[in-house]
Amino acid sequence: MPKTALSFHLNGTERSVFVDDGANLLDVLRRGAGDLSPKYGCGQGTCGACSVRIDGELRLACLTLAETVAATHVQTPAGLADGPVLDPLQTAFIEGFAAQCGFCTGGMLMAAKTLLVRNPRPSREQVAEAISGNLCRCTGYEPIIDAILTAANRAGVNSL
């Protein structure tokens, strides 16, 4: 099967990989780029575990053709922290016990980051709507919503 060269920015660093025609972004991120932070959940776009931000827009990596991210900026959960300095969302999730098994956490963080960049002071209802595409089977949604609202009250959330 022919491979196509693909160049894009991954968490601020230019990356070039060869991809199979028709490959999805999730496989390319995990296998080609070595970023394991987007999780493989359902593979059908219903769980949100593979959520990433492409040029600031929330997308499901399992449903995104890898070739469509050429020359874009892709942010994964691994790109939220700045070295050892966690994003305020990550800190709020830890402090608020908003993750148990952690499987949904990356997708929840990506959805929350997208919301807070657009709306730094969301209502509880707006937070619930923003994360509605992400399934959580452990924590329940209240600690997650509370953590996002806590992060919204802290400085630095809007940094990309």
Side-chain angles (χ1 to χ4, degrees):
M1 180 176 279
K3 300 237 183 218
T4 302
L6 174 66
S7 293
F8 62 101
H9 290 87
L10 176 59
N11 298 324
T13 303
E14 189 168 354
R15 297 297 302 262
S16 294
V17 295
F18 287 99
V19 300
D20 292 327
D21 290 339
N24 69 42
L25 179 59
L26 180 60
D27 286 338
V28 169
L29 290 172
R30 292 180 61 83
R31 295 182 185 155
D35 186 338
L36 302 178
S37 64
K39 302 296 183 209
Y40 180 88
C42 66
Q44 301 173 1
T46 59
C47 74
C50 67
S51 296
V52 297
R53 299 178 70 222
I54 301 172
D55 289 338
E57 297 294 321
L58 188 65
R59 299 278 295 275
L60 297 168
C62 74
L63 297 181
T64 302
L65 282 174
E67 295 161 352
T68 66
V69 303
T72 67
H73 292 268
V74 177
Q75 184 183 36
T76 67
L80 286 174
D82 183 13
V85 179
L86 297 179
D87 185 270
L89 275 166
Q90 293 170 307
T91 302
F93 267 60
I94 292 167
E95 292 171 352
F97 303 100
Q100 284 185 10
C101 82
F103 200 78
C104 73
T105 304
M108 291 286 187
L109 288 167
M110 293 284 91
K113 184 70 169 183
T114 303
L115 169 67
L116 294 180
V117 167
R118 291 185 181 148
N119 180 2
R121 298 282 185 233
S123 68
R124 188 172 218 42
E125 294 75 24
Q126 290 169 322
V127 171
E129 175 66 25
I131 64 168
S132 66
N134 299 76
L135 299 177
C136 175
R137 293 178 179 90
C138 299
T139 308
Y141 297 92
E142 288 305 313
I144 294 168
I145 292 169
D146 290 342
I148 295 167
L149 290 170
T150 296
N153 291 319
R154 293 183 177 164
V157 171
N158 289 324
S159 63
L160 291 176

